[in-house]
């Protein structure tokens, strides 16, 4: 089974940084298949990276190693970490960027979520810069994991990784759930923290209405449920409710950014 | 022969979508070499994607599978399709995005252009979202093709794929051909629908003049034919006539976007 | 040992050009592992490309072939070249883009820096466009090198490659060194031409002060040496002194672009 290592960073795509990490990875694990997920997480946007990692890791084989470097605290006291779940292995800073995948595994079965502090310099580069642990600690550890090193060799257990304070939606009675937009994607789809499971508890889709600012939107099954240029709500490919504009950008058209509040109500409550 | 799968999408490079497709591809075809062509086709720009696919596929080995997802009609009645030509195999929506490669093969020999409707769910993911057929239908089909499945197994023949209404140039007499800009590239080169073959029919390059808005441009063999900062016309690497500015951007300098009209005349016609 | 070929270009990421080069590479060297370094060097920015190549090549195994195409002189008299150093092999135009890696090897041992003019069309594509030597000359040569062709077969020796006029810092007495910013990275870090070795000659870090426009900055060991939003100087991961803003952009906050002058002084000189 050929090793796979994915890369998710906020390093951008015009400097040497991603290339330096790839060189380290291939030096230590020459057989690895390197897969760019994205290097364009907004600088230091831990929440966006955590959501991207959570969504994409589910599609990869479980022997994949996911290298995730969004690390505003590089050189400070934050720990470098790695974790293993049934969905894959993950390497990055202990700042919340890995918390969604760790938490999901932990919620299903605490015995399935293993985390360690990276504390064994023999798996790092010989010299560690203070500004680029991606190249000097995280990449070599990811390469060693992909090449066969076990998680336990990397350092002592990390009992409680830093958890991302991802906002949870709140019930305002049994017929109204309020949450917020957690990410606006490249197309301008506004992805919320309300999931398909939440909606199922509220009622059948035709009975629901989404309130977002001045907008009242119906829940549709597909973009084709409205005319081009019209807004709608639907459950997106990640299982979260999204606000969209057919063939357009809901982010631009509705002036929505992460943090924007929204609620879903049963129509009978009107 | 190691399988090769290329990716051309409008998914952008900061979300999880491209990564999710790559995970699906490697889950089903672990030996595949994944090659990013571009994930930055302008959202829903079918014509730009069709042109990119046409240009790059010519450089790849014929056993390559090209996965092309620019799919504004996802979830509507448009068909998912795959086709095979002497230049490679292609998977994507039947909305014109594959029409240039299909048409080229069909024009040379109808027997060499095969297309099918994707109609066999056993080659798809078990659950199909309504918004992301790239992950749930197109990527798994591309992986199966790369891993050895034949085109015929994927579904029934598609006799007439949707053709892109790419504008054709028109002759205004034997000494004047008028067309338009079909793409402006990253450097600002304005690529037209007039080809080297058209120019050969008009006359030798020194005898021709290109009229574009207020500009009268000579046809040169290379950028070095004019001084830095000066505009020129030349035949670009795709065999199409382009307007360029040496070491600059013709798109910016000449205020040109796709659709901009231009004509080529024999100078003797002045 | 699997061949590795990296790509560094100014071709952008939305056209077919990078894909065309990848197709040529995989056609001629099917086992190659292709690694994108960056395709977003600013158009025709030879200095930025030379710095990126210099930084990233150090992290790759020495059998790697680095394909570098920033080529504003394509079609003019500039030579196509390749060179070999203890850090790797490099293919690109002879316009300075490979000069930092060549010069570094040459400075250490002239016998270790080999360069040749690409003069053997049998290693090129059969037809050479005048605008895209990346696809028609550089990519096929890189593929042949990666597949086992020796440097000497490609053409005659190139005794004196074009050197980049990268500005060198100047000593204004033994306690003051003046240089300039040579690159501003994705995060807004302003990377100078003053190196850690220069600073060591000036004195211990706590005794030094950096003067940049109206700013007087202390030299810190890590970003955490100042509060979020505050500017600082530090030695970055490439061994060069950088001006940074913790969790921010020094380029924006301090209005700094490449060419911006700065000096380092011993505090006792105040």
């Amino acid at each position: 089974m050929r090793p796979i290592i994915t890369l998710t960073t906020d390093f951008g795509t015009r400097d040497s940084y991603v290339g330096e990490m790839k060189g380290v990875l291939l030096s230590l694990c020459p057989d690895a298949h390197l897969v760019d997920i994205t290097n364009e997480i907004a600088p230091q946007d831990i929440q966006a990276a955590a959501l991207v990692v959570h969504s994409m890791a589910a599609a990869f084989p479980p022997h994949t190693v996911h290298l995730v470097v969004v690390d505003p605290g590089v050189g400070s006291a934050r720990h470098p970490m790695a974790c293993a779940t049934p969905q894959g292995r993950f390497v990055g800073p202990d700042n919340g960027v890995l918390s969604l995948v760790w938490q999901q595994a932990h919620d299903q079965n605490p015995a399935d979520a293993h985390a360690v502090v990276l504390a064994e310099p023999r798996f790092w580069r010989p010299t560690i810069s203070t500004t680029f642990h991606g190249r000097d600690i995280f990449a070599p550890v990811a390469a060693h994991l992909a090449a066969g090193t076990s998680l336990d060799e990397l350092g002592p257990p990390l009992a409680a990784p830093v958890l991302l304070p991802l906002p949870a939606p709140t019930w305002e009675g049994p017929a109204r759930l309020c949450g917020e937009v957690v990410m606006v994607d490249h197309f301008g789809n506004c992805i919320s923290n309300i999931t398909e499971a939440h909606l199922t508890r509220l009622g059948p889709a035709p009975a629901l209405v989404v309130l977002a600012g001045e907008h009242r939107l119906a829940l549709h099954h597909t973009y084709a449920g409205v005319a081009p240029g019209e807004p709608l709500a639907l459950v997106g490919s990640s299982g979260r409710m999204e606000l969209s504009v057919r063939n357009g950008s809901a982010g631009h058209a509705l002036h929505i950014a992460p943090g924007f509040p929204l609620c879903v109500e049963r129509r009978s409550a009107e």
Side-chain angles (χ1 to χ4, degrees), chain A:
Chain A
M1 206 147 47
R2 189 172 49 152
I4 301 171
I5 305 175
T6 78
L7 292 94
T8 303
T9 79
D10 64 350
F11 289 169
T13 53
R14 59 187 183 79
D15 299 320
S16 63
Y17 305 129
V18 174
E20 293 178 64
M21 292 205 303
K22 290 177 177 177
V24 170
L25 293 168
L26 289 177
S27 296
L28 294 172
C29 187
D31 292 332
H33 191 126
L34 304 185
V35 181
D36 284 306
I37 302 303
T38 172
N39 296 299
E40 299 188 49
I41 298 292
Q44 299 143 9
D45 190 341
I46 293 169
Q47 177 171 306
L51 287 163
V52 164
V53 170
H54 182 257
S55 291
M56 69 81 189
F60 275 85
H63 74 281
T64 305
V65 175
H66 301 282
L67 172 57
V68 185
V69 189
V70 177
D71 193 15
V74 61
S76 74
R78 72 94 188 89
H79 288 115
M81 72 173 278
C83 66
T85 78
Q87 284 208 331
R89 290 166 292 168
F90 303 84
V91 180
D94 179 23
N95 63 10
V97 82
L98 302 183
S99 67
L100 295 186
V101 286
W102 183 86
Q103 180 114 50
Q104 182 180 40
H106 192 265
D107 285 354
Q108 286 173 6
N109 183 353
D112 276 348
H114 303 277
V116 298
V117 176
L118 303 183
E120 291 288 345
R122 68 196 154 110
F123 298 112
W124 307 353
R125 293 190 102 196
T127 306
I128 308 299
S129 71
T130 57
T131 58
F132 195 4
H133 290 185
R135 178 191 65 189
D136 300 334
I137 297 177
F138 299 123
V141 164
H144 282 294
L145 271 179
T149 298
S150 77
L151 196 76
D152 295 340
E153 297 178 68
L154 301 174
L158 175 62
V162 170
L163 296 183
L164 194 71
L166 196 68
T170 54
W171 291 94
E172 301 186 351
R176 181 179 162 94
L177 179 67
C178 292
E180 65 183 64
V181 170
V182 292
M183 189 164 71
V184 179
D185 76 11
H186 170 71
F187 295 96
N189 297 313
C190 302
I191 301 165
S192 78
N193 59 350
I194 294 177
T195 66
E196 191 162 24
H198 290 128
L199 297 177
T200 303
R201 286 173 60 189
L202 262 173
L208 303 180
V209 62
V210 180
L211 312 172
E214 302 166 359
H215 299 277
R216 297 175 60 85
L217 302 172
L219 260 165
H220 291 271
H221 190 56
T222 159
Y223 299 126
V226 298
E230 289 299 313
L232 73 158
L234 80 179
V235 174
S237 62
S238 64
R240 295 171 184 274
M241 189 184 77
E242 307 178 6
L243 308 187
S244 298
V245 164
R246 181 175 174 191
N247 295 0
S249 165
H252 288 156
L254 312 182
H255 306 289
I256 289 178
F260 193 93
L262 45 75
C263 297
V264 190
E265 289 184 355
R266 233 178 276 152
R267 276 182 202 273
S268 53
E270 291 173 31

